[in-house]
Amino acid sequence: NEWIEYKPFEIKVAKETIDAYVSYRLIKPGYEQLDRMGLYQRNITTFDEKPIIENSQLEAKDNYGCVNCHSYRNYDADTLMYHGRFVDAGTVFVKGNDTKKVNITIKDVGKASYPYWHPTAPYIAFSMNETRQIFHVFDKSRITAFDNTSDLMIYDFANDEVILDDRFIGEEYYETFPAWSPDGDMLYFSRADYCGSLPENNDKLRYGIYRASFDGETAKLGEVECVVDEHLTNKSQPFARVSPDGKYLSYTECGYGTFPMSQKDSELKMIDLQTLISIDMNVVNSDEVEGYHAWSSNARWLVFGSRRLDGMYARLFFAYIDENGVAHKPFLMPQKTADFDVLRMKAYNVPEFSKNELRISNYQMKRIQAKEAESINVRYQ
């Protein structure tokens, strides 16, 4: 017979809009086998979701392949790339009505993995990763992953040519997760010192964030400088992203390694690129994993994956970043029913904003994926 009164609260609506579409991979959170997975695009002004490509469409007799690392150029869904692995393998490029599939694998060096499009020049920066997994019995993380090797390449997609620099290939360092600045004059990436044999020394592997200037005419990288020093933080900083206005650098931070979604202590961090001073992101983070994230085209929104709801499945959250760089409380990507994400037993992986809807059909994408991958040239500089 008692009433309960709650403290009043406000819901504020941001003046700045958010991009209408977000794309992601849906995958089982254990990553233990190549089961049903796919790349999807969601219209966040409605509840419409459509498949870009699903691995069940690949021509496999005994197992499914893998589709991953989707990426748009300048938030334009008409310019897309992604990798197909194991079945109908190759990297697919879509630019309007022009499509191609290439094999970006360099003998004795590696194959293209994590991508980032240059904003103006015909280049994509890739890391080349040989990834392995560790399954734990007595650990708060059920599974972790590590890279046996990890280097950088630049792919000239206008000339089907990979450009390699000896400074970013070899055993001295591990480099991964490249990201261009909005003007394309700087390439950011995560780098770790060689720490001995893996996986024995995986918990000693810590990545900092580094950058190198870039000449768009010659495709040459300049001197390397440190932005976030892993030796000072005693943490690992993978997956850096520069805001489209060039003011801020967001990244994930975890205890070690380069796979934040597998570590319970993984959080989102941000620094002011003019001062290199950290920005408070406590309101965005939780007691569970925060990981892969992306900026909206107007630099006012972050979308990121978080396991805060149940500790198992990564769902997508949106956080508003105001003009002063202040982060605001995130909210779950809306669904049509309250139990939608509970019943969908898949994790959302690597979200990416786009301004427009992908025009190429799912059937056309399947036909491109089924083609034989073209070979590419390699040039050292």
Side-chain angles (χ1 to χ4, degrees):
N1 297 322
E2 294 181 354
W3 290 84
I4 298 175
E5 179 182 3
Y6 293 94
K7 292 181 180 179
F9 61 92
E10 293 181 342
I11 296 177
K12 297 182 179 180
V13 178
K15 296 178 181 179
E16 299 90 345
T17 59
I18 192 170
D19 297 315
Y21 297 89
V22 62
S23 299
Y24 40 80
R25 183 166 64 152
L26 290 175
I27 188 172
K28 286 187 175 180
Y31 300 14
E32 70 277 5
Q33 59 182 356
L34 289 175
D35 206 333
R36 295 291 181 96
M37 68 168 71
L39 304 177
Y40 302 85
Q41 186 182 54
R42 160 75 189 272
N43 184 339
I44 57 177
T45 70
T46 67
F47 301 106
D48 295 336
E49 177 188 81
K50 73 174 186 177
I52 299 170
I53 184 74
E54 296 173 305
N55 69 342
S56 59
Q57 297 176 269
L58 308 185
E59 299 297 330
K61 293 181 179 179
D62 301 320
N63 66 302
Y64 297 107
C66 178
V67 288
N68 56 39
C69 297
H70 57 283
S71 180
Y72 300 119
R73 186 182 189 189
N74 294 335
Y75 300 89
D76 181 8
D78 286 334
T79 307
L80 163 72
M81 65 130 294
Y82 71 89
H83 299 307
R85 305 292 196 202
F86 309 117
V87 177
D88 293 337
T91 301
V92 171
F93 291 90
V94 177
K95 187 177 181 182
N97 295 321
D98 296 329
T99 63
K100 66 179 178 180
K101 177 183 170 185
V102 297
N103 177 18
I104 313 180
T105 302
I106 297 88
K107 185 179 180 181
D108 299 326
V109 179
K111 62 183 177 182
S113 295
Y114 306 119
Y116 205 98
W117 295 80
H118 192 280
T120 55
Y123 303 119
I124 299 179
F126 285 103
S127 59
M128 300 176 285
N129 309 75
E130 182 188 339
T131 304
R132 297 291 182 267
Q133 298 179 101
I134 307 171
F135 298 89
H136 300 284
V137 178
F138 304 107
D139 194 283
K140 61 184 179 181
S141 299
R142 299 173 181 85
I143 178 174
T144 56
F146 66 95
D147 290 325
N148 261 334
T149 61
S150 186
D151 300 300
L152 293 181
M153 70 160 77
I154 293 174
Y155 174 59
D156 180 345
F157 59 85
N159 298 301
D160 288 329
E161 183 177 66
V162 166
I163 303 166
L164 298 176
D165 186 325
D166 286 333
R167 294 177 300 158
F168 303 102
I169 298 173
E171 296 183 352
E172 185 179 2
Y173 301 110
Y174 301 92
E175 294 99 354
T176 190
F177 292 129
W180 300 102
S181 59
D183 57 12
D185 291 341
M186 198 73 69
L187 181 66
Y188 290 79
F189 54 92
S190 294
R191 187 178 79 174
D193 297 329
Y194 177 75
C195 66
S197 62
L198 298 171
E200 294 88 344
N201 294 297
N202 187 44
D203 59 353
K204 299 177 183 176
L205 195 60
R206 290 176 174 80
Y207 289 76
I209 298 175
Y210 293 77
R211 63 186 176 190
S213 60
F214 181 73
D215 186 332
E217 296 294 326
T218 63
K220 287 186 177 181
L221 291 166
E223 295 299 315
V224 176
E225 62 176 320
C226 183
V227 180
V228 181
D229 193 339
E230 72 277 22
H231 303 99
L232 297 179
T233 64
N234 199 31
K235 295 274 191 176
S236 191
Q237 285 83 209
F239 207 79
R241 291 291 183 261
V242 184
S243 62
D245 57 10
K247 293 181 178 180
Y248 308 109
L249 179 76
S250 59
Y251 57 94
T252 55
E253 184 176 83
C254 50
Y256 62 89
T258 184
F259 289 88
M261 293 307 297
S262 66
Q263 296 192 45
K264 190 178 175 67
D265 65 349
S266 177
E267 293 185 331
L268 289 179
K269 299 288 185 178
M270 192 162 71
I271 61 171
D272 185 316
L273 279 176
Q274 297 299 315
T275 63
L276 300 185
I277 294 175
S278 295
I279 294 172
D280 185 0
M281 293 289 281
N282 286 334
V283 70
V284 173
N285 293 305
S286 70
D287 293 334
E288 280 292 343
V289 175
E290 274 73 52
Y292 299 120
H293 60 281
W295 288 90
S296 64
S297 60
N298 61 4
R300 292 281 77 86
W301 296 91
L302 277 177
V303 58
F304 62 95
S306 174
R307 292 185 177 178
R308 66 184 63 194
L309 296 187
D310 58 17
M312 177 66 74
Y313 294 95
R315 277 86 173 201
L316 295 187
F317 287 78
F318 300 116
Y320 176 64
I321 311 295
D322 68 27
E323 66 275 11
N324 298 314
V326 177
H328 295 258
K329 184 179 179 179
F331 57 91
L332 182 68
M333 181 173 73
Q335 300 290 1
K336 196 169 186 178
T337 60
D339 60 356
F340 182 89
D341 281 329
V342 177
L343 299 176
R344 168 179 265 181
M345 291 184 287
K346 294 287 180 73
Y348 293 81
N349 189 251
V350 191
E352 183 96 355
F353 279 117
S354 62
K355 297 178 181 178
N356 54 333
E357 184 177 9
L358 187 71
R359 288 188 295 175
I360 192 167
S361 71
N362 180 245
Y363 174 73
Q364 289 174 294
M365 198 70 82
K366 176 186 175 181
R367 296 189 64 181
I368 300 164
Q369 183 71 57
K371 291 181 178 178
E372 190 73 23
E374 302 172 15
S375 59
I376 48 92
N377 301 314
V378 179
R379 172 166 61 91
Y380 284 83
Q381 64 178 21

